Amino acid sequence: MKLKNKTAIITGSSQGIGRGIAERFAQEGANVVVNYIGNMEMANEVVQNAQNIGANAIAVQGDVSKVADIENLFANAISSFGQVDILINNAGVERHAPFWEVTEKDYDFVMNVNTKGTFFCAQAMAKHLIETKRRGKIVNISSVHEDLPFPNFTAYCVSKGGIKMLTRNLAVELGQYGINVNNIAPGAIETPINKNLLNNPNKLNYLLGQIPLKRLGQPEDVAGLAVFLSSDEADYVTGSTFFVDGGLTWFYEEQ
Ligand SMILES: NC(=O)c1ccc[n+]([C@@H]2O[C@H](COP(=O)([O-])OP(=O)(O)OC[C@H]3O[C@@H](n4cnc5c(N)ncnc54)[C@H](O)[C@@H]3O)[C@@H](O)[C@H]2O)c1
């Protein structure tokens, strides 16, 4: 068990990649804090699954785009488990629109959840670790789109590019406190965020043609790397982005 006696907050973990990470962390012996924004039933299911295999787990409702909710999330985690050792900034959203049609509302929505949420969750984690004089790990679930352009998802790309710089900055600024900060950049993972793609066989086949490993990723593919980056084995790893994309980012082919 690689995370025994560690407490981990995983934002947006009632489904998708976050859920995969929460359930894997429970298998690795972590106390798991399942943050969710709306679906309490699914969050409770993740908690139940963790408890069924002997892990401690709680669900905490909260919108990561609101600093007051983030404070409440950390307060709940600390009152249940005494401390937080690992933060996985997973919550994320996207909106599809050509650049010239992006509304202020959609821009704010994407930036507030993805970038502001990641920023202030990381700040709450840093304050907690510095105050309690303990080391810790922050892992941000970014995207291949922190580097790779994605037409019609400009706000999403900007939000993930921001997370790339946030990670580099924090790695440098927080290193002196023993806080490691890294990004995981998933490619195309089979989760509800991709439901339009998954329901469109033509689009899906075209995409699969551009993935050297010839399949979509699964939440478990991301969870394995999240375990490593959150474990003592990654004590000298900070400030980097790790791609979990089946080779998608570097795909190039000529007919
Ligand atoms: N699936 C992919 O192909 C893929 C690729 C690259 C990056 N990602 C990133 O992975 C992360 C997880 O996405 P997913 O694929 O599991 O999609 P998902 O839609 O299944 O999961 C996103 C989760 O975030 C939660 N969430 C949204 N807004 C929130 C808020 N304000 N506060 C708290 N929680 C909130 C949702 O309720 C949901 O549980 C996201 O950051 C996403 O950008 C996903």
Side-chain angles (χ1 to χ4, degrees), residues 15 17 64 90-98 102-103 105-115 141-146 148-160 163 186-198 203 207 248:
Q15 64 176 40
I17 292 172
V64 298
N90 166 76
V93 293
E94 63 181 29
R95 283 285 179 269
H96 176 278
V102 175
T103 62
K105 187 167 172 252
D106 280 354
Y107 174 90
D108 284 345
F109 177 63
V110 170
M111 294 300 288
N112 284 343
V113 176
N114 297 5
T115 315
I141 307 303
S142 165
S143 167
V144 290
H145 300 299
E146 69 166 49
L148 198 62
F150 190 10
N152 301 307
F153 289 90
T154 300
Y156 184 77
C157 292
V158 171
S159 75
K160 297 295 185 177
I163 294 174
I189 311 296
E190 199 170 336
T191 72
I193 211 172
N194 286 324
K195 61 178 180 303
N196 291 339
L197 171 76
L198 296 168
K203 269 192 179 176
L207 174 64
L248 167 74

